[in-house]
């Protein structure tokens, strides 16, 4: 496993499963860009406020499983799944108490040990719509 695959796995394990927010700052810079389902997120603080905090707050028991990683030089593609229970209002609507399954693919590009750009495609918009009713 090369450096990009190691960094990609570290991102999912430490940021999402271990809730280690410091990893967000370690693996991104102010110029890092995440092309997420809800639009472009630039820099660690934007990612933290618009994606990380809302999801961790809404799904406090969220667990992400890295299903597969493919690597080519500075790029890694991660196929992942996640499961959590909607217990918080952090997505802007009351908690439903429902367990949900999520899945997606994240394409990540690293330079000098940091994530410079990532693209995510997932079923998160559908999951959120189903929770809103």
């Amino acid at each position: 496993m090369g450096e990009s695959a190691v960094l990609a796995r570290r991102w999912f394990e430490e940021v999402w499963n271990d809730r280690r927010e410091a990893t967000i700052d370690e693996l991104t810079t102010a110029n890092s860009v995440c092309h997420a389902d809800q639009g472009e997120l630039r820099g660690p603080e934007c990612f933290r406020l618009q994606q990380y905090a809302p999801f961790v707050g809404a799904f406090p028991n969220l667990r992400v499983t890295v299903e597969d990683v493919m690597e080519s030089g500075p790029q890694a593609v991660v196929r992942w799944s996640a499961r959590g229970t909607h217990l918080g209002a952090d997505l802007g609507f009351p908690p439903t108490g429902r367990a949900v399954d999520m899945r997606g693919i994240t394409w990540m590009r690293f330079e000098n040990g940091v994530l410079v750009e990532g693209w995510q495609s997932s079923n998160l918009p559908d999951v959120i719509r189903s929770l809103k009713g």
Side-chain angles (χ1 to χ4, degrees), residues 86-107:
H86 183 223
L87 300 174
D90 300 72
L91 294 175
F93 54 94
T96 63
R98 289 178 43 205
V100 296
D101 291 306
M102 298 166 262
R103 65 188 180 290
I105 294 177
T106 304
W107 188 309

Side-chain angles (χ1 to χ4, degrees), residues 20-35:
R20 190 172 179 275
E21 282 192 58
T23 302
I24 296 169
D25 297 313
E26 292 169 20
L27 293 183
T28 63
T29 70
N31 295 319
S32 297
V33 179
C34 173
H35 305 280

Side-chain angles (χ1 to χ4, degrees), residues 1 8 12 15 18 30 82-83 96 102 117:
M1 189 168 24
F12 283 92
V15 171
D18 297 341
R83 184 164 183 79
T96 63
M102 298 166 262
E117 196 164 19

Side-chain angles (χ1 to χ4, degrees), residues 6-115:
V6 169
L7 291 170
R9 283 187 180 276
R10 183 176 170 213
W11 177 265
F12 283 92
E13 284 301 321
E14 292 183 22
V15 171
W16 293 108
N17 290 336
D18 297 341
R19 308 288 192 269
R20 190 172 179 275
E21 282 192 58
T23 302
I24 296 169
D25 297 313
E26 292 169 20
L27 293 183
T28 63
T29 70
N31 295 319
S32 297
V33 179
C34 173
H35 305 280
D37 296 310
Q38 69 269 36
E40 186 177 285
L41 308 173
R42 187 171 295 276
E45 197 58 27
C46 183
F47 173 82
R48 184 181 283 105
L49 292 174
Q50 293 185 30
Q51 189 167 44
Y52 179 78
F55 273 91
V56 170
F59 304 98
N61 65 342
L62 181 72
R63 286 295 298 166
V64 177
T65 301
V66 173
E67 304 286 347
D68 201 10
V69 179
M70 293 181 64
E71 176 185 51
S72 178
Q75 300 181 75
V77 179
V78 178
R79 183 173 52 86
W80 56 266
S81 62
R83 184 164 183 79
T85 308
H86 183 223
L87 300 174
D90 300 72
L91 294 175
F93 54 94
T96 63
R98 289 178 43 205
V100 296
D101 291 306
M102 298 166 262
R103 65 188 180 290
I105 294 177
T106 304
W107 188 309
M108 308 167 95
R109 184 171 59 87
F110 297 92
E111 287 180 8
N112 301 315
V114 296
L115 178 59

